[in-house]
Amino acid sequence: MVIADDRIEMPDTRALLARAQEGDAASFGRLLLPLEARLLRQAVALCNDPAAAEDLVSETLIEAWKSLRRYDETCRFSTWLYAILLHRYQKCVRRALCRPIPLAWLPFFDAEKHLAAHENQPADGPSPAGQAEQHEQARELRRAVARLSRKHREVILLRFFEDASLPDMASVLGCSVGTVKSRLHHALEKLRRMNLNLSPASWDTQT
Amino acid sequence: MKRFFNLCRRQRERLSLLASGALPDAERATTEAHLAACAECRRYFEEVRAVSRGLQSWRDTAPPVEPRPAWHAEWVRAIQPGHEPMKPRAETSLPWWQALFAGRRAALGGLGATWLLILFFRATAPEVAQPASQALLPAPRAVLMALKARDPWSEQRVPAPESDDESAPAQRPPKSPPPRSERGANHFIG
Ligand SMILES: [Zn+2]
């Protein structure tokens, strides 16, 4: 996922934000145009399903619109949005948690098919075999992250899927930078102790 | 010997941050120096870095999504005053047999809820283990939407937050619009 700095550079961004905060929905729409693709991709990483991801982002944006006045620029706008997205997502998951039958057993969610559909895309990265391996690894990590507590999960997702800085995470989670550091450390430590089968091959394609 | 281990322990948090690319530059030098001198910490660092890279790899396997112009128009319309809410796309694209299944799921959920409520009132130990491993699994909206209406107690059963890592006093869980603390530097553009 492209997590390059997405801070909006259009000169009229500030004006759009100001107008949106005054209640102009069209300005909010234009403000979000350059951020939609990224949000959708972040949502797909969570839901693993394009339609569900679209719904999640819609919910997120409607929620963001309702509380836009409270965005005071103490963190990156995209991080603020992602925090709302996470919150909406966890609300969905929480609802699902109450059912006696695990969500994973639901037969109509075909993550494999969805992943396979994207395996044929022009690869600018690893070979198809490497990609399959990456997807297997992604699945394993998804399960592992699911086993973390909510607080641990949040910092992992904010750090790796939003590329959020420590102060931005602190701002968005309403805690101190020290707490964020400690949570991130413990979350990674828990994942490390799970002894996941992480292939060294897929490391080398990264940074 | 003891002092040695304490030194390592103090470095571990920084090593995790370094592996995830979040270590402030000011702390880099001492951490890297320790890393160069300590084989034990190097092994630890490599393991955490493997996790970090795995997470990056997961992020990268998420396919790019091109926003549909119709979807953009739709949500912008939905936030206009007096406009009716959006219809979930995942729900409407559900085949009838699956919709039926989702309904049955909801019914089972309701039944389970009733049972648990009965247990709750009869026994004094209402502790019901949360299937924590289910968090973050794909959440098909259709099912969730179907459940929303029928499951009034769902919001009450939030897994208890772990507090093993909290050095700071307990924090309130974030509200949906994240709490704004103080006005700070402008991160929006620059
Ligand atoms: Zn050491």
Side-chain angles (χ1 to χ4, degrees):
Chain A
M1 178 181 290
V2 182
I3 54 135
D5 199 348
D6 68 316
R7 281 169 238 202
I8 313 163
E9 273 158 24
M10 295 183 301
D12 60 345
T13 298
R14 177 147 297 266
L16 281 177
L17 177 67
R19 256 179 284 147
Q21 282 180 323
E22 277 159 26
D24 182 15
S27 294
F28 186 63
R30 262 192 292 157
L31 183 67
L32 262 298
L33 261 179
L35 294 170
E36 280 175 345
R38 187 165 187 262
L39 278 168
L40 282 168
R41 199 173 180 194
Q42 286 169 326
V44 165
L46 287 176
C47 315
N48 221 356
D49 173 65
E54 208 174 76
D55 289 341
L56 179 60
V57 175
S58 310
E59 269 191 34
T60 301
L61 294 178
I62 289 164
E63 181 77 46
W65 166 249
K66 285 184 196 155
S67 45
L68 191 63
R69 272 164 207 263
R70 283 194 261 171
Y71 173 65
D72 62 0
E73 301 174 36
T74 50
C75 68
R76 218 158 65 173
F77 189 52
S78 69
T79 305
W80 186 72
L81 292 171
Y82 187 66
I84 297 176
L85 186 139
L86 273 189
H87 187 265
R88 298 303 310 181
Y89 182 70
Q90 283 172 352
K91 234 174 157 175
C92 287
V93 171
R94 221 176 289 157
R95 264 180 248 145
L97 268 175
C98 304
R99 287 170 308 127
I101 295 161
L103 201 55
W105 295 1
L106 290 180
F108 55 79
F109 180 76
D110 198 347
E112 308 289 322
K113 202 170 79 187
H114 173 64
L115 286 171
H118 290 279
E119 251 154 52
N120 300 327
Q121 285 190 338
D124 52 342
S127 62
Q131 271 190 334
E133 198 180 334
Q134 264 191 338
H135 287 152
E136 181 45 49
Q137 191 170 297
R139 266 192 291 274
E140 190 166 357
L141 272 159
R142 177 192 296 275
R143 281 192 291 269
V145 170
R147 269 182 269 149
L148 296 176
S149 70
R150 187 179 54 92
K151 286 178 176 181
H152 286 160
R153 197 158 56 235
E154 268 169 1
V155 288
I156 289 287
L157 294 172
L158 276 164
R159 178 66 209 134
F160 289 93
F161 287 80
E162 167 54 27
D163 202 25
S165 67
L166 295 176
D168 277 13
M169 279 196 260
S171 157
V172 121
L173 296 172
C175 60
S176 70
V177 170
T179 304
V180 171
K181 281 180 178 175
S182 143
R183 273 188 209 170
L184 187 56
H185 167 59
H186 283 96
L188 284 166
E189 174 64 8
K190 286 206 166 133
L191 292 174
R192 183 187 75 88
R193 286 214 206 124
M194 287 181 196
N195 279 319
L196 304 167
N197 182 26
L198 301 171
S199 62
S202 63
W203 306 356
D204 302 331
T205 62
Q206 304 302 317
T207 346
Chain B
M1 208 56 190
K2 199 166 183 169
R3 257 175 61 203
F4 171 79
F5 281 122
N6 278 341
L7 185 65
C8 287
R9 253 233 310 265
R10 250 179 300 153
Q11 288 296 337
R12 292 288 159 104
E13 181 177 295
R14 289 177 171 182
L15 289 173
S16 292
L17 296 178
L18 182 66
S20 61
L23 188 72
D25 286 341
E27 295 170 40
R28 259 188 110 105
T30 41
T31 305
E32 279 171 356
H34 179 83
L35 203 56
C38 179
E40 193 64 30
C41 280
R42 255 197 320 274
R43 196 172 324 128
Y44 174 85
F45 177 70
E46 284 306 322
E47 285 175 18
V48 181
R49 197 161 64 159
V51 172
S52 281
R53 288 181 170 175
L55 287 163
Q56 285 165 352
S57 170
W58 168 15
R59 180 193 66 200
D60 294 337
T61 54
V65 185
E66 197 57 49
R68 295 184 303 123
W71 167 75
H72 173 84
E74 207 182 327
W75 77 255
V76 173
R77 226 179 300 123
I79 62 169
Q80 310 274 358
H83 203 277
E84 58 189 71
M86 279 179 86
K87 276 208 167 105
R89 183 179 156 209
E91 186 175 42
T92 47
S93 65
L94 209 65
W96 65 269
W97 64 90
Q98 291 178 355
L100 201 72
F101 195 74
R104 251 182 70 196
R105 265 301 170 247
L108 282 169
L111 206 71
T114 315
W115 260 106
L116 287 170
L117 273 176
I118 291 169
L119 284 172
F120 182 88
F121 285 115
R122 290 190 60 183
T124 42
E127 245 176 272
V128 182
Q130 279 288 339
S133 62
Q134 292 312 312
L136 204 91
L137 287 169
R141 298 264 306 127
V143 187
L144 301 177
M145 295 305 287
L147 280 165
K148 209 174 179 179
R150 304 176 203 208
D151 205 354
W153 59 290
S154 60
E155 292 298 326
Q156 298 155 20
R157 295 177 68 240
V158 184
E162 287 178 26
S163 52
D164 52 338
D165 64 325
E166 299 303 328
S167 49
Q171 299 292 337
R172 300 295 310 150
K175 298 272 172 260
S176 67
R180 313 279 96 230
S181 38
E182 72 279 12
R183 271 194 170 269
N186 172 14
H187 296 281
F188 188 73
I189 298 171

